[in-house]
Amino acid sequence: MDFEALTTLPAAERITEVFAYFADRRAHEAAGPSSQPNVWEVFRYEESMAVLSDYQTFTSDKTALIPEDQKRLAQAARGNFIGVDPPLHTQMRALVNKAFTPSTIAKLEPRIHDLSENLLDEVFGAAEPGGQAGFDLAQDYASQLSASVIAELFGIPQADHKVFWTWSDGLIGSRPFGELGTVDEEAMRKIGELLEEASRYLLAHVAERRADPREDLTSTLAGVEIDGRKLQDDEIFGIIAMFLIAGHMSTSLLIGNTVMCLAEHPEAMAEVRADPGLLPAAIEEVLRWRPALIRDQRVARVDTVLGGTPIPKGGNVCVWLASANRDEQVFADGARFDIHRDPNPHRAFGKGIHFCLGAPLARLESRIAVEGLLRRTSDITPRDGVALHSSVGLIGPVRLPVSATLAER
């Protein structure tokens, strides 16, 4: 089966078949041509890391794919340092690193806890301890929590969190670069319309924070300076848009994937319930075994060879992170879910200069979200109706109906 055809399968079957596809290709080759034109797929760990670490051979810059009439897409791309290479990437990342510090993340922990508890109060409603509650864990909890955390991070007022969540949900539902190598012009048009609406609000928000700084990341980004270089308003808008897409998406799906993986492995679920201290390691194993972002993409700058496979200049290179994370040469019994796996050098957050800046926040938010769910329930079971994200590059639930039994408090 061609990989792109897997997106049409039901959730459980799709997950099984995706990893079967990876295992089969990985057993025969480190990298090879795709069924799609001008695309090469990478399956093994060593070769995947070589691509992600070598920006001189494999570029992240895909701005040439943006149509000339998509002004907001181009504007958002200015702050999206995920999609640029040094020296601009080095400068942009240094400025954002100066603002996005460990202390910034640590200060969010109490607020993330409060947001989580408030959402759980809503989804459990009037159910008494020992009673049952049914809700959509993805839509009613994980997605709203992750969007609200991003909003809090940038100082978006509480009253505007709902519209912020709507933008986030719409942006991750768009696929501006199509499937493996093609450009989806309709998706680009839709995401451009969303960014047009978001930009009016966010550029005004940036201007307000420049005039009246507060204790939030927007204000900090407006004030950071390195060697006389400051971020411009549209660059800050692009950074916020990047977090809206990458930060919200990856964390929401990680929360859903963690609950699904634990539910599929009752012994692991029981261990984590009995000892919440195991939860961080369990989340790391989820990141390895079923990462939300299952691929990363580059474009070959020059003719090159990868794992014995020639790749021409201009070739699209699809690095399957989810395949690399199960490479038997690195992970013993890589197909087995093991919350005690140590070491666990997965690459769910990438590698090299583009390693995910928001990884610590995603880990913190997911731990708080899942801990709250497990603490306040004695049982949580996915029901029929699970729907996975439609993109070929993502695995995780956008619909996750569950039944929960409330714990004694």
Side-chain angles (χ1 to χ4, degrees):
M1 179 181 288
D2 292 341
F3 186 86
E4 56 268 28
L6 296 173
T7 60
T8 64
L9 296 174
E13 187 178 351
R14 176 181 164 195
I15 291 173
T16 299
E17 292 298 323
V18 163
F19 285 99
Y21 171 82
F22 291 151
D24 180 63
R25 293 290 300 265
R26 189 171 63 243
H28 294 93
E29 58 189 349
S34 171
S35 60
Q36 294 194 9
N38 198 39
V39 177
W40 281 259
E41 300 177 51
V42 187
F43 301 97
R44 294 181 187 165
Y45 190 94
E46 181 179 349
E47 288 74 16
S48 296
M49 299 310 103
V51 172
L52 299 182
S53 301
D54 185 2
Y55 67 85
Q56 293 180 322
T57 304
F58 302 100
T59 179
S60 299
D61 190 351
K62 305 181 191 70
T63 52
L65 298 174
I66 299 175
E68 293 184 4
D69 62 347
Q70 292 292 347
K71 183 178 71 170
R72 290 307 180 197
L73 273 173
Q75 185 183 43
R78 289 202 62 196
N80 182 9
F81 53 84
I82 293 175
V84 296
D85 297 316
L88 179 58
H89 173 274
T90 305
Q91 187 180 55
M92 289 284 292
R93 179 134 185 168
L95 285 164
V96 178
N97 278 342
K98 196 171 180 181
F100 199 71
T101 63
S103 62
T104 300
I105 298 170
K107 288 177 183 177
L108 282 173
E109 182 164 359
R111 183 58 181 152
I112 296 173
H113 181 271
D114 290 345
L115 289 168
S116 170
E117 291 298 305
N118 290 341
L119 285 170
L120 289 174
D121 287 343
E122 291 181 17
V123 298
F124 292 147
E128 297 291 335
Q132 293 285 313
F135 60 98
D136 187 329
L137 189 146
Q139 289 290 309
D140 300 334
Y141 182 56
S143 186
Q144 292 196 42
L145 176 63
S146 61
S148 292
V149 170
I150 299 298
E152 292 274 336
L153 181 67
F154 288 101
I156 305 299
Q158 179 76 36
D160 295 335
H161 281 199
K162 185 174 182 179
V163 68
F164 203 77
W165 173 78
T166 302
W167 292 334
S168 301
D169 198 52
L171 289 170
I172 67 170
S174 303
R175 289 174 282 167
F177 297 116
E179 299 300 344
L180 296 186
T182 58
V183 176
D184 187 335
E185 294 186 0
E186 177 61 17
M188 278 196 167
R189 184 188 64 78
K190 290 180 179 178
I191 202 172
E193 290 174 356
L194 276 171
L195 287 171
E196 183 70 38
E197 178 184 347
S199 70
R200 290 192 291 270
Y201 177 97
L202 293 173
L203 287 172
H205 178 66
V206 172
E208 180 183 325
R209 287 300 190 261
R210 282 199 189 278
D212 182 19
R214 309 281 180 86
E215 292 291 326
D216 57 52
L217 190 55
T218 303
S219 299
T220 306
L221 288 170
V224 294
E225 180 177 339
I226 294 179
D227 297 331
R229 164 80 155 93
K230 287 188 174 183
L231 290 166
Q232 299 179 20
D233 285 10
D234 59 350
E235 289 174 326
I236 298 174
F237 159 67
I239 291 167
I240 300 175
M242 178 185 70
F243 272 88
L244 266 172
I245 299 169
H248 168 50
M249 168 198 69
S250 59
T251 306
S252 175
L253 297 183
L254 173 56
I255 294 168
N257 280 342
T258 300
V259 173
M260 288 181 69
C261 288
L262 292 175
E264 291 166 19
H265 298 84
E267 291 184 1
M269 175 75 87
E271 283 193 79
V272 174
R273 283 191 181 279
D275 181 5
L278 293 173
L279 186 55
I283 290 173
E284 294 305 307
E285 182 65 348
V286 172
L287 286 164
R288 182 196 73 85
W289 196 72
R290 190 181 293 168
L293 180 66
I294 64 173
R295 70 169 180 180
D296 206 344
Q297 288 190 267
R298 299 291 188 270
V299 177
R301 292 181 185 269
V302 295
D303 291 341
T304 188
V305 176
L306 187 67
T309 298
I311 298 176
K313 178 181 178 180
N316 291 290
V317 181
C318 176
V319 176
W320 291 116
L321 301 172
S323 179
N325 281 348
R326 294 195 183 192
D327 189 337
E328 296 79 3
Q329 297 181 36
V330 177
F331 302 96
D333 199 4
R336 181 169 62 90
F337 182 76
D338 180 7
I339 65 172
H340 300 288
R341 187 177 295 275
D342 185 26
N344 190 354
H346 68 76
R347 288 293 178 259
F349 291 116
K351 182 178 172 60
I353 62 171
H354 290 291
F355 182 83
C356 178
L357 179 69
L361 179 59
R363 286 177 164 121
L364 173 65
E365 187 179 336
S366 299
R367 175 180 61 78
I368 292 172
V370 178
E371 187 279 329
L373 277 167
L374 298 185
R375 173 172 41 80
R376 295 185 59 172
T377 64
S378 59
D379 177 77
I380 186 163
T381 306
R383 304 197 314 253
D384 291 341
V386 175
L388 301 181
H389 198 287
S390 60
S391 174
V392 73
L394 300 169
I395 282 188
V398 292
R399 299 282 180 187
L400 182 52
V402 298
S403 293
T405 303
L406 272 65
E408 300 291 338
R409 298 188 69 177

